[in-house]
Amino acid sequence: MVSGLSGIGTVLVANRGEIALRVIRTLRRLGLRSVAVHSDADAGARHVREADAAVRLASGYLDIEGVVAAAKASGARAVHPGYGFLAENTAFARRCAEEGLVFVGPPPPAIEAMGDKIRAKATVAAAGVPVVPGGAEPGDDLAEAAARIGFPVLIKPSAGGGGKGMLVVRSAGELAEAVASARRTAAAAFGDATLLVERYVSDPRHIEIQVLADTHGNVIHLGERECSLQRRHQKIVEEAPSPLIDEETRRRMGAAAVSAARSVGYVGAGTVEFIVPGDQPGHPGYFIEMNTRLQVEHPVTEMVTGLDLVELQLRVAAGEPLPLAQQDVRMRGHAVEARVYAEDPARDFLPTGGRVLALAEPEDAAGVRVDSGLFPGAVVGSDYDPMLAKVIAWGSDRAAALRGLDTALRRTTVLGVTTNIAFLRALLADADVAAGRLGTGLIDQRLDALLAAAHATGAPPDEVLAAAALVLHDELSGGDDDPWDVPDGWRIGEPAWTTWPLAARGEPVAVRVRGLPARGAEVAVGDGPPSEARVAREGGDALVTLDGVTTRYACARDGHTVWLGRDGRAWALTRHLPGDPGDRAGAGLAGDGVVRSPMPGTVLLVKVVPGEAVTEGQPLLIVEAMKMEHTVTAPADGVVAELTARAGRPVDMDEVLAVIRAPDAGASPEATETGGS
Ligand code: ADP
Ligand code: ADP
Ligand code: MG
């Protein structure tokens, strides 16, 4: 249909965020015209601004007819789907073909064969590729299959992706509930409730092979990526090459991946994923799935091979032969990627949200690449994936790449939305990670130490509390009529102390300030002694001097909350008002029994009724966001005194869902008031 890249002319990018921007970048370099699509929520997004043209999608990114119509209307000859959304949707690929649009991806039968893990395993096993032992619906009864394989087992949605709906089951007794939950997630996230069960390989390493195939029968691989650093079966840090893999294993796994691709008539860029038992380094790996698209972590392969995978996808889609053969693939140095998520490590990594108040990202420079969809003012909600950006660093060896990545993360500041950046830095600094001793269980095994190293838990350092109070004092306590100017002491001839009760998480801390921070003030945190203080503002930064030592913070304020950022860490400090959560003194007994939503999302299921007696840890309800289920449990033994949660209703982060009261406590008005706030 199309002969060569120039025949394509205009490409519609059917995606958003960092991946849409990444595709647009290559289109621009190749002299192709780019067309963005966007939902109403994304009207001001960066991909819309950076594309040559943009089309609004009235019904969102998953509306096949809407995207096809946008492509036709904008004169596009090809559609690049990115990853997620419609990237592995055969109905979409077929509709593109029917309309004469080139779908930049594999032929629909290859997507179909690999999109479903059950079929994919059967197909590649027939081609001689080893797969993880397991059982699958509808042929197998999952309980029987699990008993046959032996516990622990892993339940997976056959149509799954992104680690969603996967559950480890350790005994027969847990199976029924896990199957029910996985089925719900599978149906909601993938529109297909079919499940499979596999032997759970304990603490394996995730090794995947990038493959490329053209329409002329050439299939090559670009070596491996290791993606063993995961949370909830979701990759966080990826690298190429893998410190585990030697040349011989690379050759064998590469050949297996090429066979897997050939077995389905693959065309384009794809990834064949394997798990390797952690204690058997020379093991050739078990196939787990093939992703028939560009992958999130493709930049590490690009950095070590010097190839542009999006360009190669486009050339293949335009009918060109691959410009290189297997023996031409060269790897240089080492690359590591870290995924920046809108999530709070201290709250079990649940998705956060908010508006980006201030942003600093390192420049794309020698050895550093930033693929980001962030911009100041961007609103991060619960409609889309919480991955905000990827920071990637290249070095001549692994240690250099890790150092470069840490420096780049230290220079990344996001204020307004809580992210995992400090956690990523703690992870990269871990001794086993630095030594290349990786495993998919590593993060869970030493979570507490990593959280502590990231300072994700506990009160912020005193100097940060002092800086926040100084900024609030500087900005809010202006004149006599300022409602926030609450002097609580006054001595003739001296300025008054103002108390700023500041809370990050947990109990508020009283920070006292007097004087003018811009000219000279004093600040005292809690019962500590006062320090001489001064604040100078430089653009969005605050230079805070305490007893002669100056620290630069990125700084932004949102009402009563001050955000301070430094070295990849960010703190949100909120001026505490009586009755706020955590104010046990103010709200009487309430603080303990109030059950709040841990994340923005939707209430999926309510498992209790008002008046029901519950025990500590008992599941009360399930909140879902981004198709991820989170079970909210009773904080203590008691009775469900109030239940505001309703199935199907959207909830904000920290919104009150229920109040649990000690069985003997009466209906106290304080508790009721807190519950209704
Ligand atoms: P990768 O496999 O490329 O490393 P992920 O597995 O994290 O990346 O998936 C990338 C994105 O695509 C995520 O937003 C994920 O939620 C989404 N995704 C993956 N597989 C599917 C699928 N089958 N259907 C819908 N979305 C998917
Ligand atoms: P998804 O489509 O969600 O990416 P995968 O089948 O690729 O699902 O699995 C995601 C991750 O889950 C893998 O990277 C690996 O860490 C883990 N995993 C998958 N299968 C197994 C297994 N059988 N045993 C242990 N861990 C597994
Ligand atoms: Mg996978």
Side-chain angles (χ1 to χ4, degrees):
M1 277 188 311
V2 175
S3 62
L5 212 49
S6 52
I8 283 185
T10 298
V11 179
L12 180 131
V13 183
N15 217 299
R16 67 184 298 279
E18 66 91 14
I19 193 61
L21 284 154
R22 188 262 166 272
V23 174
I24 291 168
R25 204 175 308 142
T26 290
L27 293 173
R28 187 178 305 139
R29 188 174 60 72
L30 296 175
L32 297 169
R33 189 168 156 266
S34 56
V35 179
V37 288
H38 65 87
S39 61
D40 286 340
D42 276 342
R46 252 175 79 190
H47 73 281
V48 174
R49 282 184 267 147
E50 291 191 24
D52 295 317
V55 181
R56 169 180 175 258
L57 293 174
S59 312
Y61 297 96
L62 291 171
D63 175 16
I64 292 177
E65 291 311 321
V67 175
V68 168
K72 305 273 295 181
S74 61
R77 289 296 318 274
V79 177
H80 194 301
Y83 56 72
F85 290 144
L86 299 175
E88 292 169 282
N89 186 307
T90 44
F92 179 61
R94 290 212 167 88
R95 281 293 292 129
C96 287
E98 281 165 19
E99 297 293 335
L101 296 162
V102 176
F103 174 76
V104 182
I111 305 177
E112 219 145 61
M114 289 299 189
D116 166 317
K117 293 191 201 322
I118 295 169
R119 251 180 85 188
K121 283 176 74 176
T123 307
V124 306
V129 178
V131 300
V132 192
E137 294 179 327
D140 281 318
D141 174 75
L142 293 179
E144 279 169 25
R148 184 176 71 232
I149 304 161
F151 289 93
V153 296
L154 188 62
I155 307 278
K156 293 184 183 180
S158 188
K164 285 170 193 155
M166 290 182 28
L167 290 171
V168 182
V169 183
R170 306 210 171 263
S171 68
E174 298 168 17
L175 193 71
E177 185 155 349
V179 165
S181 167
R183 217 183 272 298
R184 273 197 306 274
T185 307
F190 311 113
D192 177 350
T194 313
L195 303 177
L196 69 157
V197 58
E198 281 181 357
R199 171 179 300 156
Y200 183 62
V201 180
S202 90
D203 201 13
R205 297 178 72 137
H206 174 114
I207 307 287
E208 60 186 34
I209 306 282
Q210 176 71 53
V211 296
L212 270 178
D214 64 19
T215 49
H216 306 271
N218 304 303
V219 186
I220 64 171
H221 72 85
L222 303 181
E224 81 284 2
R225 294 184 283 261
E226 172 151 15
C227 318
S228 298
L229 295 173
Q230 304 186 347
R231 276 276 307 155
R232 290 195 197 97
H233 311 295
Q234 168 79 12
K235 301 153 189 170
I236 300 177
V237 172
E238 307 101 335
E239 60 186 288
S242 161
L244 182 74
I245 302 295
D246 58 21
E247 202 46 57
E248 169 57 15
T249 312
R250 177 170 303 123
R251 201 191 51 72
R252 278 165 69 195
M253 294 184 80
V258 167
S259 302
R262 284 199 188 281
S263 74
V264 295
Y266 203 79
V267 175
T271 297
V272 183
E273 297 191 330
F274 298 90
I275 48 174
V276 177
D279 48 1
Q280 299 169 50
H283 193 287
Y286 297 114
F287 170 95
I288 48 174
E289 68 160 342
M290 179 169 186
N291 291 317
T292 55
R293 56 177 163 87
L294 191 66
Q295 234 164 330
V296 172
E297 59 274 22
H298 75 279
V300 294
T301 298
E302 295 187 322
M303 285 184 108
V304 296
T305 59
L307 299 169
D308 179 333
L309 282 167
V310 172
E311 174 181 350
L312 291 166
Q313 285 186 300
L314 292 162
R315 290 193 182 283
V316 166
E320 294 184 16
L322 287 176
L324 78 173
Q326 190 65 56
Q327 64 270 20
D328 304 325
V329 177
R330 294 275 178 279
M331 308 232 204
R332 232 184 101 240
H334 203 101
V336 188
E337 169 182 286
R339 299 189 187 190
V340 175
Y341 282 97
E343 64 183 19
D344 186 354
R347 284 181 168 218
D348 197 22
F349 296 86
L350 291 176
T352 56
R355 195 162 64 84
V356 177
L357 303 171
L359 175 70
E361 295 183 303
E363 301 276 308
D364 278 350
V368 174
R369 168 171 166 181
V370 182
D371 281 17
S372 168
L374 284 171
F375 59 98
V379 174
V380 178
S382 61
D383 293 343
Y384 303 113
D385 197 274
M387 197 186 77
L388 303 175
K390 305 175 316 205
V391 182
I392 312 112
W394 180 91
S396 55
D397 59 20
R398 187 169 185 271
L402 286 173
R403 273 198 307 278
L405 182 56
D406 187 61
T407 304
L409 288 170
R410 187 153 47 78
R411 294 190 180 143
T412 306
T413 310
V414 184
L415 301 186
V417 178
T418 296
T419 73
N420 65 336
I421 297 171
F423 183 82
L424 290 169
R425 292 194 64 205
L427 180 61
L428 295 171
D430 177 272
D432 281 333
V433 173
R437 290 186 295 268
L438 310 175
T440 59
L442 184 146
I443 291 177
D444 275 341
Q445 284 151 20
R446 61 196 65 172
L447 194 55
D448 292 344
L450 292 170
L451 290 173
H455 301 279
T457 48
D462 282 0
E463 83 228 39
V464 173
L465 288 163
L470 288 162
V471 167
L472 280 174
H473 195 82
D474 190 34
E475 295 191 2
L476 292 182
S477 57
D480 296 339
D481 53 1
D482 188 317
W484 309 122
D485 188 11
V486 213
D488 58 0
W490 180 261
R491 276 176 277 163
I492 306 258
E494 283 185 46
W497 285 101
T498 301
T499 300
W500 298 94
L502 294 179
R505 45 173 63 92
E507 302 290 315
V509 177
V511 186
R512 291 178 302 138
V513 179
R514 70 171 173 185
L516 295 171
R519 278 190 250 149
E522 285 178 282
V523 62
V525 178
D527 301 330
S531 301
E532 298 286 330
R534 190 182 279 271
V535 177
R537 309 303 287 260
E538 242 181 59
D541 290 358
L543 279 79
V544 179
T545 306
L546 292 176
D547 289 332
V549 180
T550 302
T551 308
R552 178 183 289 270
Y553 294 93
C555 178
R557 185 169 61 83
D558 180 13
H560 292 183
T561 299
V562 177
W563 286 80
L564 295 174
R566 191 182 82 196
D567 297 334
R569 291 173 61 186
W571 295 270
L573 296 129
T574 300
R575 179 175 191 269
H576 185 85
L577 301 170
D580 281 353
D583 188 1
R584 300 210 176 148
L589 60 85
D592 289 354
V594 178
V595 179
R596 291 170 187 274
S597 180
M599 59 186 183
T602 304
V603 177
L604 199 66
L605 261 187
V606 181
K607 299 186 166 198
V608 290
V609 293
E612 186 173 333
V614 293
T615 53
E616 185 179 336
Q618 178 178 334
L620 300 176
L621 41 95
I622 296 177
V623 179
E624 181 226 60
M626 256 79 74
K627 312 294 180 202
M628 196 174 72
E629 293 187 3
H630 183 82
T631 302
V632 178
T633 58
D637 291 355
V639 170
V640 181
E642 279 182 40
L643 190 63
T644 37
R646 298 280 176 279
R649 192 187 281 178
V651 286
D652 289 331
M653 182 156 143
D654 285 332
E655 188 171 325
V656 174
L657 300 171
V659 178
I660 306 300
R661 198 169 299 138
D664 39 42
S668 106
E670 292 94 313
T672 307
E673 206 173 281
T674 311
S677 67

